[in-house]
Amino acid sequence: MTSIDVQQLTKEYGTTRAVDDLTFGVRPGQVTGFLGPNGAGKSTTLRLVLGLDRPTSGTATVGGRPYAAYEEPLRQVGALLDAQAAHGSRTARNHLLALAVSNRITPARVDEVLEETGLSAVAGRRVKTYSLGMRQRLGIAAALLGDPAVVILDEPSNGLDPEGIIWIRELLRRLAREGRTVLVSSHLMNETATFADHLVVLGRGRLLADTPMREFIASHSKPRARARTTDPVRLRAVLARAGHDLTAVDGDGDGDGSRWAVDGARAEEIGRLAAREGVPMLELADEEASLEDAYLALTASATEFTAGPSGALTVPEKPAPRQEA
Amino acid sequence: MSPTAVLHSEWIKIKSLRGSIGSLAAVFLTTVAVTVLVFATVGRAEADNADAEPLFDAFYALNFGQLAAIGFGATAVSSEYVNGALRVSLSAVPRRGLFYRSKIAVVGGAALAVGLLTSFTAFLGGQAFLGQHAIGLGHTGAVSACVGGGIYLALMALLAAGLAALLRSGVAVLSVLIPFNLIVPFVIGDVAGGAAQFLPDRAGQQILREDPTGVLGGWAGLGVMALWAAAAVGAGWWAVRRRDA
């Protein structure tokens, strides 16, 4: 079992707590979405897991050991932290080759991951000629280099075109199917909803949720049903007696074409009421809540999260990179 | 982790960057080109001067080659500080001691090999233009000057490499070391003769002289320069070990 385990992890920069007493685990065989707004501490947490930053307190382990304790870590853990990190003057192949050689991974494997990420044709070009999407693919190629049991990707869909986004989604699903531990950070809810099985949600460096995605959506969204009827006046009256409100979604709010919504009720309850009272229904269905709605509901209710004067942007996601010639 | 594998990886990083492999080549090319230029034109006239120092003068072009050596040491390390490249490197080689040692060894080894080649080529090449004034490797101190000149270039590269790890920027290293080497000795040179001879370049160049000036002999001077380089490499290690990547 190669899990990622974070125990009471805290990281302070000066007086700012970027990560605050964080405890969670990431299990193999599923894709875990790592969510939170910019500055929530996602990237800091990932750097702590990879031993790049030193925690103020607490521990982060992969497969029960600190990352730095691995003999050849790329064979256990593959990570994409920042697609810009490959030196622009190097070719993609040389970038990957230098990484591979240090962990005694064969050069043939470099060609395999270049093929897998669709970069074979441009592998001899300097990275500075790459688009952001191509750099993301290169970063993912580097993460896959050692055929690792654990894959950690920070915002992998950044800059990818629609085709690339579908590719990364299928890649993540496949990696999880193969039994790997997959942790993917993102601030894009709709995107995350397409590949995640489990969610770890951060806000201001604290854990807000660590649950399967379906449960997360169910527990952080109110039921809502959509309906169409030939007799909205009677339906409204019937629902009012049961304590529900009928609201117009579109149409003129009158004729058969109008769509209605009932907040806080499920289709089965409304169906039963309408049948008992003989209100003709043309359409009735539960509205599936989106991950985005559930996420916004959660973050709005997390008081420590909304208490700050300027929202969530007080902690920089990454230290500003230093420039040089 | 396998130290050989990490050394190999660091060598790939250096040779795959035009900036670092180019400045390494420039150590040789600049020194030899300046030597040829100077010796082919004013070589004999200079050698005829009463105050000529045939051995020391043979390495005149090292003053230019050392700038390329500084550039090499600085770029080889500072390329890790562009856009968080260090995070990628340290996730492949999380043992920072091994990572830093390997990088310093490759920078020092490459600079030493090219430095020795440069120093011997410059010496022998320059003398070829001097006719009757020419000296050979049999001249007193000539071999140790050639070997010392190679070590001098390698130590210069290491000084720059250590500072680059400390300052995390190639530009910062160049703006510290180049004035330090070119200007400071001239400004304080003869005013405070005592202190100036312990500056890295002054001390290191004693090995190039047939009759060392000041209190430091040839190898002692190179030793003082090695202490400077060791201090810079040590400070760089402190930074790599202590700082978050």
Side-chain angles (χ1 to χ4, degrees):
Chain A
M1 287 280 282
T2 317
S3 320
I4 302 171
D5 286 292
V6 169
Q7 288 288 336
Q8 295 179 299
L9 196 63
T10 297
K11 176 68 179 178
E12 290 170 353
Y13 294 105
T15 55
T16 315
R17 281 203 161 187
V19 174
D20 192 355
D21 197 28
L22 198 57
T23 299
F24 66 88
V26 184
R27 307 288 156 234
Q30 56 184 12
V31 181
T32 301
F34 196 28
L35 299 180
N38 292 332
K42 303 189 297 291
S43 294
T44 303
T45 305
L46 297 183
R47 285 201 303 276
L48 291 166
V49 168
L50 296 173
L52 295 170
D53 289 9
R54 251 163 268 269
T56 305
S57 63
T59 59
T61 57
V62 181
R65 302 158 70 181
Y67 181 84
Y70 279 100
E71 192 56 26
E72 281 160 343
L74 297 187
R75 293 167 178 273
Q76 305 295 328
V77 184
L80 160 68
L81 288 189
D82 181 357
Q84 304 299 333
H87 199 291
S89 302
R90 247 183 222 118
T91 64
R93 177 174 280 111
N94 280 330
H95 172 71
L96 294 175
L97 191 62
L99 291 175
V101 162
S102 66
N103 279 243
R104 296 190 305 162
I105 296 163
T106 63
R109 179 65 188 157
V110 170
D111 292 321
E112 273 176 44
V113 293
L114 282 166
E115 185 71 46
E116 191 172 350
T117 50
L119 291 174
S120 292
V122 291
R125 272 169 53 183
R126 285 160 191 274
V127 174
K128 68 175 139 206
T129 66
Y130 279 24
S131 66
L132 178 56
M134 288 157 86
R135 286 174 199 232
Q136 287 289 356
R137 285 170 182 266
L138 177 58
I140 292 162
L144 298 177
L145 206 49
D147 195 18
V150 178
V151 179
I152 297 174
L153 305 175
D154 196 1
E155 306 274 358
S157 3
N158 256 359
L160 289 180
D161 53 19
E163 194 189 335
I165 287 176
I166 293 168
W167 170 75
I168 186 86
R169 184 185 303 163
E170 281 169 6
L171 174 73
L172 295 172
R173 303 291 328 151
R174 195 195 81 213
L175 292 171
R177 256 197 327 274
E178 290 167 353
R180 300 178 212 257
T181 304
V182 186
L183 179 63
V184 184
S185 89
S186 182
H187 63 273
L188 302 173
M189 299 306 138
N190 292 337
E191 183 48 35
T192 304
T194 63
F195 55 69
D197 305 296
H198 194 91
L199 295 176
V200 171
V201 186
L202 294 195
R204 295 221 154 181
R206 294 204 192 164
L207 187 70
L208 297 185
D210 177 3
T211 48
M213 186 167 74
R214 290 190 182 288
E215 265 178 44
F216 178 83
I217 293 174
S219 62
H220 293 287
S221 55
K222 291 197 185 105
R224 181 177 156 104
R226 282 180 171 250
R228 218 149 60 80
T229 175
T230 50
D231 196 348
V233 179
R234 274 187 62 211
L235 182 62
R236 186 189 300 277
V238 166
L239 288 173
R241 256 178 273 141
H244 297 306
D245 204 15
L246 190 66
T247 49
V249 176
D250 58 20
D252 54 10
D254 193 11
D256 297 354
S258 296
R259 291 173 189 282
W260 303 90
V262 188
D263 281 310
R266 299 214 144 263
E268 56 186 84
E269 185 191 351
I270 297 164
R272 212 177 296 123
L273 286 170
R276 198 172 62 210
E277 304 288 337
V279 181
M281 300 299 289
L282 301 174
E283 223 177 275
L284 183 60
D286 277 322
E287 197 167 272
E288 287 302 321
S290 71
L291 175 58
E292 192 160 42
D293 296 335
Y295 171 81
L296 291 174
L298 170 71
T299 51
S301 67
T303 49
E304 70 273 24
F305 179 78
T306 50
S310 59
L313 294 171
T314 48
V315 184
E317 181 80 348
K318 293 185 177 87
R322 300 215 174 200
Q323 291 291 331
E324 66 87 70
Chain B
M1 300 192 73
S2 154
T4 337
V6 179
L7 281 172
H8 185 193
S9 162
E10 288 301 326
W11 172 237
I12 291 173
K13 284 190 202 166
I14 282 176
K15 74 174 182 184
S16 62
L17 272 193
R18 208 178 271 174
S20 51
I21 197 72
S23 46
L24 184 59
V27 173
F28 179 80
L29 296 175
T30 311
T31 310
V32 172
V34 171
T35 301
V36 169
L37 210 65
V38 169
F39 281 76
T41 53
V42 297
R44 288 184 196 215
E46 289 283 320
D48 219 14
N49 276 347
D51 61 347
E53 280 187 72
L55 188 60
F56 187 66
D57 294 345
F59 296 99
Y60 170 72
L62 234 52
N63 286 310
F64 299 87
Q66 69 174 351
L67 301 182
I70 290 170
F72 168 66
T75 37
V77 171
S78 68
S79 60
E80 295 284 356
Y81 296 97
V82 180
N83 294 335
L86 185 65
R87 293 195 195 114
V88 178
S89 295
L90 287 180
S91 38
V93 186
R95 294 182 198 171
R96 297 186 183 201
L98 178 61
F99 165 76
Y100 188 70
R101 270 201 313 276
S102 306
K103 189 172 283 292
I104 291 296
V106 169
V107 169
L112 182 62
V114 172
L116 288 171
L117 179 70
T118 300
S119 160
F120 275 97
T121 310
F123 176 77
L124 296 172
Q127 299 308 309
F129 293 98
L130 294 187
Q132 52 163 347
H133 298 291
I135 55 172
L137 285 173
H139 190 85
T140 315
V143 171
S144 58
C146 285
V147 172
I151 296 174
Y152 175 86
L153 289 172
L155 289 175
M156 228 11 134
L158 288 176
L159 188 62
L163 278 181
L166 179 68
L167 304 174
R168 305 205 236 189
S169 150
V171 173
V173 172
L174 297 185
S175 49
V176 169
L177 273 190
I178 289 186
F180 199 68
N181 275 323
L182 293 184
I183 300 167
V184 175
F186 285 103
V187 175
I188 68 166
D190 296 322
V191 182
Q197 61 183 317
F198 292 97
L199 289 172
D201 64 326
R202 283 287 174 97
Q205 288 182 10
Q206 292 301 321
I207 193 74
L208 306 177
R209 293 179 189 272
E210 201 171 332
D211 297 307
T213 57
V215 296
L216 291 171
W219 292 107
L222 213 49
V224 167
M225 188 189 183
L227 289 178
W228 281 93
V233 167
W237 166 232
W238 173 85
V240 168
R241 185 169 57 99
R242 293 293 303 275
R243 286 185 185 145
D244 286 340

